[in-house]
Amino acid sequence: MMGFINGKFYNRYTRIHELLANVLERKLYQRFLIESPDGHDDFEQVMSTVPPDPRLAEDHLSNPVVSTHIQMYDEFFHTALEGNLGMTAQFWATYIYLINRLHRDLQKCIKTNDVSGYIEIFPMMLAVFFALNRPNYARWGTLFLQKLTDADQTQLEVLGKGAFSIRRTKRNYSRSAVDLSLEQTVNRDAAPSMKGIVAFRNSETAIRRWSVNMTQRAMAVTELRSFVGLDYGDNSSAQSRPSRIERDNKQMTALSSKMDQFCNPFARDAPTTLVNVATGQQATQATESYLLGTLKRGQELRDQFHQEWEGNTNRFLQPVKRTRVENFANQNAKSKAKRPASQNARSNAESLRDMFVRMMVVVSQNTSFDLRYVISHPITTYPLSLAHCDGAHVKTDKSALLKKLESLQTEAITEDSLPREFTLVYDGGLLLHSILAQTNIGASFASMARTMLSVLCAARASEVHVCLDKYVENSIKDSERRLRGAVDSVYVNSGPDQKIRQHGKKLLTNGTFKNEFARFLLKEWRKDHYSHILSGKVLYASYGGECPRYATDDQGCITVTQPAHFQGDHEETDTLIAFHIANLLPGNVVVRASDTDVLIILIGVIGQQRRKVRSTRDIIMDCRMGNSRRYINVMNIITVLEERTPGLPSALPGYHAATGSDFTSAFYRQGKTKPLELIQKEGGESFVEFFISLGEIHSDVDADIASEFVCSMYGQKKTRDVNEARYNKLMQMTGRFDQDNPLSNIKRIDCAILPPSRRTLEMKVRRSHYVTLVWKRAMLACPSDGLSPTDYGWSVDDSLLKPAWFEGPPIPTTLFTGGRADMGEARENEADIDSESDSDEAWSEDSEAEEEEDGV
């Protein structure tokens, strides 16, 4: 039933709608017999004597008594449609019209190949599409109708002779629409029934082969099924079978009795207002206008769209405005009243936090408590501007930077404009994710290896490089992976026949599995029975310092060599891809990857090269999957960035590492694109030089420039000191307060929005320096040689490399500055006075009063 309500099962909901419409029309017909009792006896007499022979029955029903009765009922039906029987009857009469008139007449035109009747009825269907928010059907249906009405007489004659709909049986009234026939024949038999073309949709050559031979495949499958007795059979007259008629009548009888039990919308005592027949709830004026004005509203919207299209040809592809739905479901939906931000409910912990910060501000303004000095410390164990409460990195949407860079292209690339000859470099992580997502539990390692090799060799490129991740111990990513729940449990591969016993998503969190599988691939692809897949291509598979080259010889055997210039020991695929591209001969390269880091590293590495060297090749990044798959012109983006901001391509890796990557944390709620605008603005040359220096191993990174950049990023442009910006941001969030009642009207304060302290920022810059160095040295065989993470802001804790968020204590040792010395001297003076006093008498108010009197 839920499938019927949601409209997911066409045959099911068509049948239920027809049954319901028949029951309702019977109720309306009963009301018609009551409202106009005269002249029905003759009609009943004619209907009771209908001969069983269909040919004689047709002549018998042409009796004027029958036609007169039908005309009278049709007039009565239109009175109900106009609302003369009440609003509830009007709504259900509209429903009967849509199902028993409009939909049935449309099906009749298709089943009888009636082109002229279809052209006459289809505009009313378009009005329904416009009225009920079906913009795609409305837009393209309008174009289809225009093409049909503008067809010349010769084309209409061809359609009228049987080309408009398809007849697959010898029975009359059994035609079906062209698209439905294709779905039930060619498309059904030309691909696996469970998966369709999903398994090979990412392969351009496979799609092309399927398009060419789909008809032959479907014919072969159909003939084979017929030969073995498994054909689908002729079900065109399923609705006319006695068993089906008996079941339909039984269910309509049950539905009719339930309708009489609850609410018959066409009964004389039915409510005249519009009510929900299931609950008895009365409709609001907005609901009445929406439900009862469907046909009129749809016709107006259709005419408006057609007029706008005639006046502007670009209007056709512009969005079709949707109508606000006002039905009983929306009427019963609970509306959430918007309250002012100050009245939003907050937890006790948040309220205490906000009050405590306000108290600190008040105390600092009335005492020697130095809030400016206190706030210059990190305060928390994990700085909230860079980390969560459990120590996990603050993350940001890296893809936003990819989209920003992609939008800079002036020379867009499409699939048709790809170079005819290129070398394909494939991200092994992306390949493994896509294959495991489609692999069922129980599949063998050998089948996965065969599938992956088929995907790699399906491209047009004659030379393919696949780069695989290497998971190592004591990696700077280990602590972050542990916090995300990744567990590198022991995983042993026993051979190609070993079965997968876990779901793909779980296997992808196990670094040991990935290492074992990568080693298995390098060994498995050596076998000669893969030569028919590899035929005519050269494959390089790079993993963990080993990169064998696979090719086929004249005897159909696979030969394996070890080219010295591709033996790169990289932990990450991102840098390994750049290493392979740097060692390729001049020529066009297509990189199949979806990670933003890959694009940034390519821009940074290639951006260091002279323009003359860059012009010798085109590098295109093939990213995303399915409908969102697109191509990015990397060389064009480098040229545009260099023209707009000199040095920016070389600075981009440092910027990406500093603002958040897989290895470094992001600044809370600062994003990726807005900080980039600071660099591109006039006066951002110092920022460009700073980010370039992050990629130089012997350079002294200027922390003052980093502080100035962070101040600008947080909107504190009046200062270059990040500690001062941190204090100013806190005072800005606290706001002004009443000195007489300082704890009133307390604002919400999120300390994570504050910039990091100077000590925290310095450690972050050091970690960004390390990551940028590895990225900028990606063309080396081992980019991390000579670099130790512990020298760049990481520390070893419980055998794991974890970020050292700051040096020194998180909180100050004393809270008072400025007035601390005076207070200390006052306490010393008080002690001296006490020690020099010889009086043993207790101090009292009386003695003080006496001294005052003596003084006077």
Side-chain angles (χ1 to χ4, degrees), residues 349-517:
E350 289 176 335
S351 300
L352 290 173
R353 175 201 64 193
D354 300 342
M355 184 175 293
F356 179 73
V357 174
R358 173 65 68 83
M359 291 170 62
M360 285 199 307
V361 174
V362 173
V363 170
S364 68
Q365 294 184 359
N366 294 278
T367 67
S368 59
F369 173 69
D370 194 347
L371 180 60
R372 192 185 302 269
Y373 172 70
V374 173
I375 205 66
S376 67
H377 290 71
I379 306 297
T380 56
T381 304
Y382 304 112
L384 299 181
S385 58
L386 303 176
H388 297 289
C389 297
D390 59 353
H393 289 171
V394 169
K395 295 296 183 182
T396 187
D397 183 12
K398 296 191 303 179
S399 63
L401 181 58
L402 185 143
K403 294 176 182 177
K404 175 69 174 179
L405 296 173
E406 184 183 0
S407 66
L408 300 177
Q409 295 180 103
T410 58
E411 300 175 5
I413 298 291
T414 62
E415 186 175 0
D416 295 333
S417 60
L418 286 175
R420 297 187 62 181
E421 296 182 0
F422 59 86
T423 299
L424 176 64
V425 182
Y426 215 115
D427 182 351
L430 174 64
L431 178 62
L432 182 60
H433 277 70
S434 61
I435 297 301
L436 274 178
Q438 301 177 17
T439 303
N440 297 323
I441 295 176
S444 65
F445 272 57
S447 65
M448 291 181 57
R450 185 183 305 107
T451 302
M452 293 180 70
L453 184 62
S454 300
V455 172
L456 292 171
C457 296
R460 298 204 314 257
S462 59
E463 182 177 326
V464 181
H465 296 243
V466 57
C467 303
L468 299 164
D469 281 323
K470 174 186 176 183
Y471 286 80
V472 299
E473 295 182 356
N474 298 325
S475 171
I476 58 178
K477 294 179 67 175
D478 283 350
S479 61
E480 186 70 12
R481 293 180 66 244
R482 296 286 177 87
L483 289 172
R484 293 203 306 262
V487 179
D488 296 337
S489 57
V490 177
Y491 198 99
V492 179
N493 174 243
S494 60
D497 295 330
Q498 180 177 339
K499 307 296 184 182
I500 295 176
R501 300 302 181 187
Q502 290 180 312
H503 195 274
K505 290 184 178 179
K506 187 171 183 63
L507 288 174
L508 290 172
T509 62
N510 189 346
T512 307
F513 163 77
K514 291 184 178 179
N515 285 339
E516 284 292 313
F517 189 71

Side-chain angles (χ1 to χ4, degrees), residues 747-820:
K747 293 185 177 181
R748 185 179 185 274
I749 298 173
D750 187 356
C751 295
I753 300 178
L754 298 177
S757 65
R758 174 73 180 220
R759 287 190 286 137
T760 302
L761 179 61
E762 289 174 351
M763 297 302 290
K764 176 172 176 53
V765 170
R766 291 170 64 180
R767 291 190 296 274
S768 302
H769 191 189
Y770 175 84
V771 174
T772 309
L773 284 173
V774 175
W775 286 349
K776 295 294 283 290
R777 287 154 49 111
M779 71 287 296
L780 302 179
C782 188
S784 58
D785 273 357
L787 302 177
S788 175
T790 55
D791 296 334
Y792 290 90
W794 277 274
S795 61
V796 179
D797 182 10
D798 193 19
S799 302
L800 285 176
L801 281 171
K802 296 182 178 180
W805 295 107
F806 48 82
E807 292 180 334
I811 57 177
T813 56
T814 181
L815 301 178
F816 295 90
T817 60
R820 289 179 295 172

Side-chain angles (χ1 to χ4, degrees), residues 172-430:
N172 295 322
Y173 203 76
S174 62
R175 289 179 172 270
S176 59
V178 175
D179 57 341
L180 183 61
S181 299
L182 288 175
E183 292 174 3
Q184 295 177 349
T185 55
V186 177
N187 293 352
R188 179 191 62 192
D189 294 335
S193 58
M194 296 299 293
K195 292 185 177 180
I197 63 171
V198 172
F200 54 87
R201 71 180 186 275
N202 293 327
S203 173
E204 178 185 353
T205 55
I207 289 292
R208 289 182 177 180
R209 287 197 304 270
W210 181 81
S211 300
V212 171
N213 61 23
M214 59 182 293
T215 305
Q216 287 73 21
R217 287 167 56 93
M219 290 175 60
V221 172
T222 303
E223 290 295 330
L224 179 61
R225 295 184 65 92
S226 177
F227 180 75
V228 298
L230 295 177
D231 54 337
Y232 296 99
D234 177 19
N235 58 358
S236 59
S237 59
Q239 295 179 344
S240 303
R241 294 173 183 170
S243 59
R244 175 68 175 270
I245 295 175
E246 181 181 357
R247 185 178 61 167
D248 288 350
N249 287 333
K250 183 178 179 181
Q251 292 177 345
M252 284 192 293
T253 301
L255 183 59
S256 178
S257 62
K258 287 292 183 182
M259 194 172 294
D260 291 335
Q261 181 179 353
F262 288 95
C263 180
N264 177 5
F266 300 113
R268 279 189 167 183
D269 57 350
T272 57
T273 57
L274 180 59
V275 298
N276 188 330
V277 295
T279 63
Q281 181 185 14
Q282 185 172 348
T284 62
Q285 186 174 0
T287 303
E288 288 180 2
S289 176
Y290 177 82
L291 294 179
L292 300 181
T294 299
L295 299 178
K296 181 180 179 181
R297 181 178 65 252
Q299 186 61 41
E300 292 174 351
L301 292 173
R302 176 183 172 273
D303 294 341
Q304 179 183 353
F305 178 79
H306 200 273
Q307 292 173 2
E308 293 174 354
W309 185 21
E310 288 180 346
N312 180 13
T313 55
N314 296 327
R315 173 65 183 89
F316 179 77
L317 294 177
Q318 294 175 359
V320 177
K321 186 176 181 180
R322 291 176 176 267
T323 304
R324 178 181 175 84
V325 178
E326 296 287 354
N327 53 17
F328 284 104
N330 285 26
Q331 182 177 322
N332 296 331
K334 296 182 179 179
S335 59
K336 296 182 179 179
K338 293 184 178 180
R339 298 180 298 172
S342 59
Q343 297 181 7
N344 287 338
R346 295 181 296 177
S347 66
N348 292 334
E350 289 176 335
S351 300
L352 290 173
R353 175 201 64 193
D354 300 342
M355 184 175 293
F356 179 73
V357 174
R358 173 65 68 83
M359 291 170 62
M360 285 199 307
V361 174
V362 173
V363 170
S364 68
Q365 294 184 359
N366 294 278
T367 67
S368 59
F369 173 69
D370 194 347
L371 180 60
R372 192 185 302 269
Y373 172 70
V374 173
I375 205 66
S376 67
H377 290 71
I379 306 297
T380 56
T381 304
Y382 304 112
L384 299 181
S385 58
L386 303 176
H388 297 289
C389 297
D390 59 353
H393 289 171
V394 169
K395 295 296 183 182
T396 187
D397 183 12
K398 296 191 303 179
S399 63
L401 181 58
L402 185 143
K403 294 176 182 177
K404 175 69 174 179
L405 296 173
E406 184 183 0
S407 66
L408 300 177
Q409 295 180 103
T410 58
E411 300 175 5
I413 298 291
T414 62
E415 186 175 0
D416 295 333
S417 60
L418 286 175
R420 297 187 62 181
E421 296 182 0
F422 59 86
T423 299
L424 176 64
V425 182
Y426 215 115
D427 182 351
L430 174 64

